[in-house]
Each structure stands twice: as structure tokens, then as C-alpha cells.
């Protein structure tokens, strides 16, 4: 039996299908699923709610030092409060990338993310999984899709939650988040070296998951 956890990374922009396929792939492989976006969203929610702006400095340093953040089967908790459902709001969508661009926020989450890599292994999704957090992962994927398809998926998701939203509003939000995530100096969104890019635009979830499963099976000889 292997005593090193298997790590599979899935990076890509908003709405590329990462979280849905990463979760399904983890299930199929009997591994845990690590949603790192939830951690950035939880920190952003907390700081924004406490009126702490997205700028480096003493106020932010003190707030991050005092902040306890945990991730478990029940979801993500900050300061002892389970914020799993609160962090998917349009308000958090609008501010998360500004907080995620700050080096001290990223430092706060680095070890926590790495500690989630326990046996038998994990499928981790985010923006810097294959580049910074798990550079030695066994298998790295980079998912892309056109901005229009990504917007359609996100609009459907939001409407299914019973909320109202316009296509244009979501498209602009996604474009802005992509811009901030790719242009930031610290751990920008990039296709990791040795990663396999999959354009999910014309593919169903099942097709993407099956393709990834076959690739993992080849690499780690399941
Ligand atoms: O689901 P979606 O792709 O829209 O977003 P998410 O994965 O929940 O991530 C929300 C935001 O957190 C991203 O737009 C990034 O700004 C940030 N993030 C990051 O910087 N690094 C990660 N590993 C994961 C998320």
C-alpha cells in the first residue's frame, strides 16, 4: 500500500467547471475533495463584514492573526461560525479576488491547504494548486471554457438557488475576477507546467470526469 497521499490538482478560471468535476472525480477515486476557493471566500466574507479593507498593513495583519479558520466535512468555519452557505453571495463574488490577491491572506492559507493532503489522497481545486500549493502533485489539470459558456453555467447555478441575476452582470463579474486573479503578483492564475488542459466548453460533466479519470488511471496505474 502506498503511504504517500495521491494529490490531483484542478486549476482554472471561474465557471470552468472545476468544483463540479473535481468533486465527482474525488468521489470516483475514493479521495477527499479540497475546495480552496471556499477558504478564500470565507476570509473575504469575514474581513469585508468587519470593515477591513483589502490592503496590506497592521490592521489586516492583526485581523488575520486573530482569525481562526477551519475546513471540515460540515464546511468552512471562521471564528467558530459555519459560513459555508454565506460565502456564495454576489457580495463575496465581488470582493473575494481583491482579498485573495494579498500576500498575507495567501500565506495564512498555505499550510492549512497543504495539511489537507491526507491518505489516501485529495483532489484539490483552485487557482494555484498545481503551481504553488502542490507543485509535486501526481496529476495536474487546467480547465478552461469560453467566458460566455462560463457565464451561462454561473447564471444557471444562481437561478437554481432561487436568486435573480442578469447575464451581463455575471459576465462582467467573471471577466473582472479573471483579470484580478491572472494579473496579481502573488500566485496568479496560470496553467501549471506539466498540466493537462481541457476545454470543457462543449463537454458534459460526465465526459470531463471520465476523461480525467482515464488520465489519472494511466498515471498512477489504478
Ligand atoms: O467557483 P469559482 O471558480 O467562481 O470561485 P472559487 O473557486 O470559489 O474562488 C473564488 C476566488 O478565490 C477566486 O476568484 C480567486 O480570487 C480566489 N482563489 C484563489 O485566489 N486561489 C485559490 N486557490 C482558490 C480561489
Amino acid at each position: 500500500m502506498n503511504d504517500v497521499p495521491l494529490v490531483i490538482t484542478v486549476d482554472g478560471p471561474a465557471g470552468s467547471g472545476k468544483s463540479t468535476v473535481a468533486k465527482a472525480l474525488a468521489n470516483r477515486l475514493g479521495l477527499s475533495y479540497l475546495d480552496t476557493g471556499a477558504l478564500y471566500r470565507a476570509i473575504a466574507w469575514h474581513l469585508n463584514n468587519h470593515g477591513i479593507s483589502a490592503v496590506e498593513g497592521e490592521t489586516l495583519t492583526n485581523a488575520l492573526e486573530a482569525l481562526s479558520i477551519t475546513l471540515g466535512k460540515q464546511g468552512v468555519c471562521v471564528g467558530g461560525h459555519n459560513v459555508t452557505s454565506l460565502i456564495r453571495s454576489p457580495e463575496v463574488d465581488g470582493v473575494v479576488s481583491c482579498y485573495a490577491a494579498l500576500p498575507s491572506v495567501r500565506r495564512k492559507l498555505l499550510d492549512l491547504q497543504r495539511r489537507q493532503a491526507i491518505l489516501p489522497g485529495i483532489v484539490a481545486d483552485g487557482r494555484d494548486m498545481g503551481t504553488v500549493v502542490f507543485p509535486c502533485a501526481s496529476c495536474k489539470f487546467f480547465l478552461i471554457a469560453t467566458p460566455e459558456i462560463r457565464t451561462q453555467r454561473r447564471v444557471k447555478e444562481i437561478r437554481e438557488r432561487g436568486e435573480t441575476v442578469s447575464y451581463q452582470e455575471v459576465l462582467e463579474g467573471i471577466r473582472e475576477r479573471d483579470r484580478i486573479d491572472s494579473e496579481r503578483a502573488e500566485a496568479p492564475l496560470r496553467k501549471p507546467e506539466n498540466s493537462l488542459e481541457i476545454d470543457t466548453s462543449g463537454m458534459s460533466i460526465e465526459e470531463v470526469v471520465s476523461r480525467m479519470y482515464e488520465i489519472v488511471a494511466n498515471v498512477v496505474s489504478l
Side-chain angles (χ1 to χ4, degrees):
M1 201 184 119
N2 205 339
D3 55 4
V4 179
L6 173 64
V7 177
I8 297 164
T9 61
V10 185
D11 289 302
S16 55
K18 293 181 312 294
S19 55
T20 311
V21 299
K23 217 178 288 172
L25 182 66
N27 262 334
R28 200 147 152 190
L29 291 163
L31 305 179
S32 320
Y33 163 60
L34 172 61
D35 175 4
T36 63
L39 295 173
Y40 285 96
R41 285 174 177 273
I43 287 203
W45 177 87
H46 175 88
L47 295 173
N48 194 40
N49 267 8
H50 284 79
I52 295 162
S53 344
V55 281
E56 292 289 359
E58 208 179 324
T59 312
L60 180 69
T61 308
N62 293 340
L64 288 174
E65 252 172 46
L67 178 73
S68 78
I69 177 159
T70 57
L71 192 62
K73 285 208 164 36
Q74 314 310 321
V76 58
C77 293
V78 277
H81 298 288
N82 192 322
V83 295
T84 313
S85 54
L86 300 173
I87 59 176
R88 305 282 156 198
S89 67
E91 200 180 352
V92 174
D93 280 350
V95 297
V96 60
S97 288
C98 297
Y99 288 105
L102 301 169
S104 57
V105 168
R106 306 202 72 82
R107 262 197 311 276
K108 170 91 185 173
L109 292 177
L110 192 57
D111 280 349
L112 174 61
Q113 294 172 89
R114 288 185 174 150
R115 281 201 307 274
Q116 310 301 314
I118 49 164
L119 286 168
I122 57 164
V123 180
D125 98 43
R127 303 292 189 286
D128 59 344
M129 295 298 100
T131 51
V132 175
V133 182
F134 300 112
C136 300
S138 303
C139 230
K140 300 181 185 183
F141 294 97
F142 190 69
L143 301 191
I144 57 161
T146 63
E148 290 71 22
I149 297 269
R150 295 192 281 124
T151 303
Q152 281 166 22
R153 289 176 183 160
R154 198 40 61 93
V155 167
K156 184 165 173 275
E157 209 176 282
I158 297 170
R159 290 187 180 154
E160 276 170 5
R161 290 202 303 255
E163 294 160 27
T164 49
V165 76
S166 81
Y167 176 90
Q168 200 54 33
E169 194 186 327
V170 175
L171 178 63
E172 277 161 25
I174 279 186
R175 286 209 165 116
E176 178 62 359
R177 209 137 60 82
D178 284 355
R179 187 189 65 72
I180 301 173
D181 290 345
S182 321
E183 290 180 2
R184 69 184 176 215
E186 189 91 2
L189 170 66
R190 292 263 184 287
K191 179 182 180 307
E193 270 179 40
N194 307 322
S195 63
L196 185 97
E197 182 171 295
I198 303 178
D199 185 342
T200 68
S201 300
M203 296 173 79
S204 69
I205 293 164
E206 191 39 45
E207 281 168 340
V208 181
V209 176
S210 295
R211 173 110 187 269
M212 291 164 90
Y213 182 87
E214 277 165 28
I215 291 158
V216 176
N218 265 330
V219 172
V220 300
S221 33
L222 290 173

